[in-house]
Amino acid sequence: MKLTKQQLKKLQQIIQNGVSTHVALGKGWQNFYDSEMIGSVQGKKLMFGISDINKIKSFLEINGYPLASQEKDFSSRTYAANTLPSEKMATKAVTDNRLLIKSINEPFQLDRVKYPPGHGIEFNVDEALQIKASQIVLIENLELFLKAEDYQQLAMQLKRGALLVYRGGAGIFSTHASVKFLEHFDGERIGFFDFDPAGLCCLGHKHLDAIILPDFESMSPNKLKSWSQEKVYYQQLPNYQSCLEEMVQSSSEISVYVKLMKQAQLAIMQEKLFAHNIKLIKIYR
């Protein structure tokens, strides 16, 4: 049977320690026991005795698993392919240290190479930090990032030489890379996220100077409510309640938006703002 990374590391640890032990009998370990008949089930535990250690060694060797691994073996698919039965046991996405960057007004340059506006281009973090720019905008939604030049109201919030950076998501262009880039970027750092509790609380991120929000003065309350995903608001609220309360108590401009969000239970996605070319404003922390 195929092992997960966690199962492989646990079996390797059992071999290394050479003592009796047990694991919680979840679905994965139940499948392992049913398939290999190694260990013994006692209640909700799978017990491994001294006599099972040689069985574990044989199982790993027959199936191409190493008896010991280093963390770097799981760090990329290339490393995993060299030492493990499947490159998919790597824990990091292929694009883990890479960013998707674009400009929308004018070309940007790196190592004397000019890159045209309107195209998302991939760089590693160290390369991206060499690009000369005075402003970056971190964008949550990939589709909006790719179509940003068509959002006129967004373009109006940017400096001519601004760079847009996709924040990253599950399995592609990780947020680890974008946070690292924000941390070391020497210029103005702006965030543009969904207008929901999670997005609004991003203003508290220590590496952001400002956040872009919809300008609700030009919109009716009924229209706002019709665009809101109230279910998303209530799903996020428990994790961000204290953050929102702190913002409400503050004297900053953001408190007005927090109060509106809480009163109307708003969670409006970036796609909706883009689809209707909603006017935007920039608020500094």
Side-chain angles (χ1 to χ4, degrees):
M1 66 166 288
K2 292 183 178 180
L3 298 177
T4 65
K5 175 191 173 185
Q6 290 74 22
Q7 287 177 315
L8 174 58
K9 294 184 74 173
K10 183 60 178 180
L11 293 177
Q12 291 173 336
Q13 183 184 30
I14 292 172
I15 293 172
Q16 181 180 358
N17 293 342
V19 297
S20 300
T21 187
H22 69 272
V23 294
L25 191 63
K27 183 178 180 180
W29 285 112
Q30 182 68 63
N31 291 338
F32 174 79
Y33 175 76
D34 292 342
S35 174
E36 307 303 328
M37 297 303 292
I38 298 176
S40 60
V41 175
Q42 295 184 17
K44 296 183 179 180
K45 298 178 181 179
L46 178 58
M47 311 296 297
F48 295 106
I50 299 297
S51 62
D52 293 313
I53 294 177
N54 284 333
K55 296 178 184 178
I56 293 172
K57 287 182 179 178
S58 296
F59 165 77
L60 294 181
E61 290 173 339
I62 290 171
N63 289 277
Y65 292 101
L67 299 183
S69 297
Q70 300 179 29
E71 192 58 37
K72 71 175 184 179
D73 295 333
F74 302 95
S75 63
S76 74
R77 291 198 171 192
T78 302
Y79 273 117
N82 188 47
T83 59
L84 303 170
S86 173
E87 73 283 354
K88 293 182 180 179
M89 293 187 77
T91 54
K92 294 181 180 179
V94 174
T95 53
D96 182 67
N97 193 47
R98 306 190 73 81
L99 296 163
L100 200 57
I101 291 177
K102 71 186 296 185
S103 62
I104 63 174
N105 292 318
E106 57 187 35
F108 64 92
Q109 186 170 313
L110 176 64
D111 292 335
R112 299 183 181 180
V113 178
K114 284 191 174 182
Y115 297 92
H119 299 274
I121 303 172
E122 178 190 354
F123 299 94
N124 66 43
V125 175
D126 290 336
E127 290 173 333
L129 288 170
Q130 297 176 42
I131 301 172
K132 292 183 178 180
S134 60
Q135 182 189 67
I136 59 172
V137 180
L138 189 69
I139 296 183
E140 177 176 1
N141 182 274
L142 179 57
E143 182 176 5
L144 179 60
F145 169 86
L146 295 174
K147 297 180 178 180
E149 57 271 18
D150 298 326
Y151 193 175
Q152 297 176 356
Q153 293 295 333
L154 175 59
M156 292 171 60
Q157 298 297 321
L158 309 181
K159 297 179 180 179
R160 286 291 302 173
L163 293 178
L164 306 186
V165 180
Y166 172 51
R167 186 183 68 170
I172 181 171
F173 298 104
S174 78
T175 55
H176 169 77
S178 60
V179 169
K180 182 179 178 182
F181 182 58
L182 282 177
E183 181 179 357
H184 293 93
F185 179 75
D186 186 20
E188 187 178 49
R189 301 160 298 185
I190 302 170
F192 184 30
F193 311 100
D194 293 330
F195 185 74
D196 55 21
L200 208 56
C201 285
C202 283
L203 184 57
H205 194 293
K206 64 180 179 179
H207 299 308
L208 284 179
D209 303 307
I211 191 170
I212 292 175
L213 297 173
D215 184 355
F216 289 137
E217 290 187 0
S218 58
M219 301 170 62
S220 69
N222 289 337
K223 180 66 70 176
L224 289 176
K225 196 68 175 176
S226 69
W227 287 352
S228 178
Q229 295 187 25
E230 190 172 303
K231 182 179 179 181
V232 173
Y233 172 84
Y234 282 111
Q235 286 175 339
Q236 293 184 2
L237 189 60
N239 292 329
Y240 297 97
Q241 180 74 53
S242 60
C243 167
L244 295 179
E245 289 300 329
E246 288 180 10
M247 288 183 169
V248 168
Q249 299 302 323
S250 72
S251 58
S252 64
E253 190 177 358
I254 195 71
S255 63
V256 176
Y257 286 83
V258 179
K259 291 175 183 177
L260 175 62
M261 175 180 287
K262 289 173 66 67
Q263 288 170 0
Q265 299 85 48
L266 296 179
I268 302 176
M269 304 299 104
Q270 286 187 313
E271 295 91 336
K272 185 68 70 173
L273 303 177
F274 171 47
H276 295 275
N277 196 32
I278 298 304
K279 184 179 178 182
L280 302 171
I281 63 169
K282 191 188 311 171
I283 293 182
Y284 288 87
R285 48 188 305 178

